[in-house]
Amino acid sequence: MTEPQKPATAPATAAPAAAPPVATTSLVSSVTGEILGDIANRRRRPDPTAIVIFGATGDLAGRKLAPALFNMMLDHAMTEPTLIIGVSRGELSPAQFADHLRPRVTEFSRQKVEPAMWDKFASTLDFVGGDFDSDATYAALKLRLDAAATRGTRNRVFYLSTPPAVFPLVLQKLEQHALIERAVQTPGKPSCRVIVEKPFGRDLASARQLNEMIGGYLDESQIYRIDHYLGKETVQNILVLRFGNSIFEPIWNRNHVDYVEITAAESIGIEGRGAFYEATGVVRDVIQNHLLQVMSLVTMEVPASFSADDIRDEKSQVLRSVRNLDLNDVANHCVRGQYRGYRQEDGVAPNSQTPTFAAMRFMIDSWRWQGVPFYLRAGKRLAERLTEVNIHFRAVPLVLFKEEAAGSVLQPAVLTLRIQPHEGISLRFVAKVPGENINVGNVVMTMTYADAFKRPISEAYERLLLDCMRGDATLFNRRDSVDRAWELIQPVLQIWEATPGVHIYEPGSAGPAAANDLIGRGGHTWRELCRS
Ligand code: BG6
């Protein structure tokens, strides 16, 4: 532990001085993470599975999916025989497909790619080249899957890592070739499941259409809508922190919480994805999915159990209690920004109004959260990469410390759930600085995963792929919550797309000043973003 430095002087018995600025200093508590066991009783290993990746030569497959599968193999998470079949245009042999993936896996894998391990992984790869509208592609795929089934790989996961526009075609062909069938899952029966990548639609109407279309082929239990944020350890820990400790739940409500901020700041820009980003923007890319999901985990009621549907029922319920935004809310409680230089990126229109930053305030009309503002903020090319939830607790009633200075010296406690990087949890509170007067300083108690558990944190995609192979949909989005999330941001999209007015902000900053005004109107402040 370190001593707080530069304490602020709180009122003591002597006459109060003018309110001095409060210095926050940190102290690191040492934490030992003792592993107590699996409270959700997940089965460790999935059945042998054939994973078919549509769009196998694309960016996601190279950056996330193949590295995740490689690491799952290294961690013995999968059951042999596992087969990974890439489907894409072009003719590649399995060896050429492996060669294509190798540099990407080497770059993005969290564990080192040793030649022997790579050879083992490469031996699980196969490739089917062809157009998605060609029957020959699916006939070839069926041959491979039938052969794999004779070796024991009867479960099938189809990963649609393609633009949503081709989902209907692929599903129709998969059904036509008897590669998928609508089923109610029964234990012991071979399963077929489909993973759909985000963006899941581009607005409420298209998301509903997409849900309708997929629902025409598959039962909801077979549809895995991925939101990789839900696979992050720290996001999953929100539920364990809240419901695995009796100390948080009694204060997790409007009586004790003043406001909550959820920030997803990125220092990178759009990374060459100009055309995609122009059609998407930060609201569709991050707020509609990642941030509203995090908010639902922070605010949901206690589920009846840790089962997929009990958790998803509660998430969906709280999203239904979020107050719809009206014209006035969009004007006064939503801010859009664009980093200077965005318009010069490849594939971006010279007069683009696409927001690369957005901040918005949501209110939740529920017994627990009435009157507590939830501020969400996300952006690219900001001062630092950081995703964090900050729960700001109410100020103490100033009955004990009556002097004027007390109000500015006694800062309310803040609980920070650090999603990434430096994953962990910290609590800021005030403490008395040793000495004759009652001097107070802010102190911060921090737990980091790295220190506490001394084990590597696996990538979100590893967890999600594994869960899908096991048939556990807890961490995937259900139709109702996707629908509701679109409904919530629909007014923002509509108004912003109809009226120009994006604020330009400097790369490396905290976003447009208007975002500070937004939160400032409630008497609140954002967590500061600092250049690292
Ligand atoms: C993706 C967005 O869903 O999430 C990207 O499309 C964004 O634009 C990314 O950069 C952020 O994910 P992470 O895990 O790096 O925080």
Side-chain angles (χ1 to χ4, degrees), residues 64 197-198 227-229 232 264-266 268-271 273 276-277 280 285-286 289-290 380 385 387 420 459-461:
K64 296 287 184 191
E197 253 303 325
K198 75 173 253 290
D227 180 327
H228 78 278
Y229 256 57
K232 291 181 189 282
E266 295 184 87
I268 55 169
I270 54 167
E271 305 278 282
R273 299 188 300 162
F276 161 80
Y277 207 84
T280 308
D285 193 36
V286 173
N289 33 71
H290 305 329
K380 300 245 180 227
R385 173 175 181 256
T387 304
Q420 65 188 22
E459 284 287 324
Y461 276 91

